[in-house]
Amino acid sequence: MEIQVEEKEGFYTVTPVGELDVYTVPLFRKVVLKLEGDRRHDIILDLTSLTFLDSSGIGSLIEVYQKVRSAEGNIAFVLDNPRILKLFRLVNLDRVFRIYPNLGKALQAVGVSSGYVDEKFFSDLT
Amino acid sequence: MLADGDRSNDNRLSFDLPCTKKSLARAREKIRRFAVDNGFETQVEDIQLATQEAIKNVIQHACPADNNIRVDLLASGDSIEVEVSDMGMGFDADTVMRRDKAPMAVDGRGFVLMEGLMDTVGVTSDSEGTVVRMEKSRGDGTTGGPEG
């Protein structure tokens, strides 16, 4: 798994690419919890590049959510994969997490708007 | 190509795994091939993840003395049956399957996923080991989950 981290107006977008499961959770925790340790409390978790998620991966997402919330930070999730959404529904996380279908909408929702390009909007025009 | 120790015919596959995390990836690939070969392409991800969760439970909790996990797959008609068994210390199956987990607990969702992804899940466990039996029907590809 690869993890991409990008900062925009104080919000950190974290994008795990590949599988988030019992094998890769330690790396994911290390990266995200380091942001927390550095007091980067506002996080968007972009899960659109996840190809596999198991119960360990779900547990790590909950752990990050709890740490951000306990530090009174903001956290939002980007998710468009029906497979992963199905797993979220099974464990009722769709009722707890703020989930947006693309990064643009998530950034908008948390108040980061500069430099935002709605790629779907423009792709619909072509 | 089956690895040594695999027993298979067209609609049945049995294999043993050592009780280590590396076994999860091996099992997933074997299950994917078996499910696809038997026409369960639509259900393959549900079957893979449910079985992985069952195996993970053994690795994390059962600690079988013989360091061995047995996986049996049977494709018959419109369904796949999966059995994951071990000779570990066992646990109180009723308690584990019916426990009311705190909504935001970090762990303990393996059985929730298994029950959501498969059509039936049953567990028998005693001091001589545990057997998890699951079944997934071919259906229209939407059975067993909230999408259905």
Side-chain angles (χ1 to χ4, degrees), chain B residues 42 78 91 121:
Chain B
T42 311
D78 275 345
F91 57 88
V121 178

Side-chain angles (χ1 to χ4, degrees), chain B residues 33-55:
Chain B
R33 273 184 284 160
F34 179 80
V36 170
D37 288 349
N38 283 279
F40 288 83
E41 290 91 346
T42 311
Q43 297 82 11
V44 66
E45 290 182 328
D46 288 350
I47 298 166
Q48 277 182 309
L49 179 52
T51 309
Q52 172 160 328
E53 294 295 337
I55 295 170

Side-chain angles (χ1 to χ4, degrees), chain A:
Chain A
M1 182 180 65
E2 176 189 331
I3 301 175
Q4 299 165 354
V5 180
E6 190 179 351
E7 189 268 342
K8 189 183 281 282
E9 295 183 29
F11 256 88
Y12 282 76
T13 302
V14 179
T15 308
V17 180
E19 302 183 348
L20 182 58
D21 63 4
V22 66
Y23 293 108
T24 57
V25 158
L27 173 63
F28 177 73
R29 290 182 75 252
K30 189 175 174 184
V31 170
V32 180
L33 297 182
K34 182 176 187 314
L35 289 176
E36 270 300 291
D38 293 342
R39 298 180 184 278
R40 315 299 189 195
H41 296 315
D42 297 325
I43 291 177
I44 293 175
L45 282 175
D46 183 347
L47 306 181
T48 54
S49 299
L50 274 192
T51 57
F52 184 78
L53 180 69
D54 73 354
S55 63
S56 298
I58 289 171
S60 71
L61 296 176
I62 293 171
E63 182 183 11
V64 172
Y65 175 88
Q66 288 175 327
K67 286 191 181 298
V68 170
R69 296 300 294 144
S70 68
E72 298 185 348
N74 290 305
I75 184 166
F77 294 77
V78 183
L79 187 50
D80 64 351
N81 181 336
R83 172 81 199 154
I84 308 290
L85 269 171
K86 174 179 176 176
L87 301 180
F88 271 34
R89 290 192 190 109
L90 286 177
V91 296
N92 294 320
L93 287 182
D94 59 315
R95 299 178 189 176
V96 179
F97 291 171
R98 295 163 66 195
I99 301 171
Y100 302 93
N102 59 55
L103 182 58
K105 283 193 166 56
L107 287 168
Q108 234 172 10
V110 299
V112 177
S113 57
S114 66
Y116 162 59
V117 176
D118 189 337
E119 292 173 4
K120 186 174 186 309
F121 176 80
F122 285 103
S123 69
D124 287 347
L125 295 177
T126 59

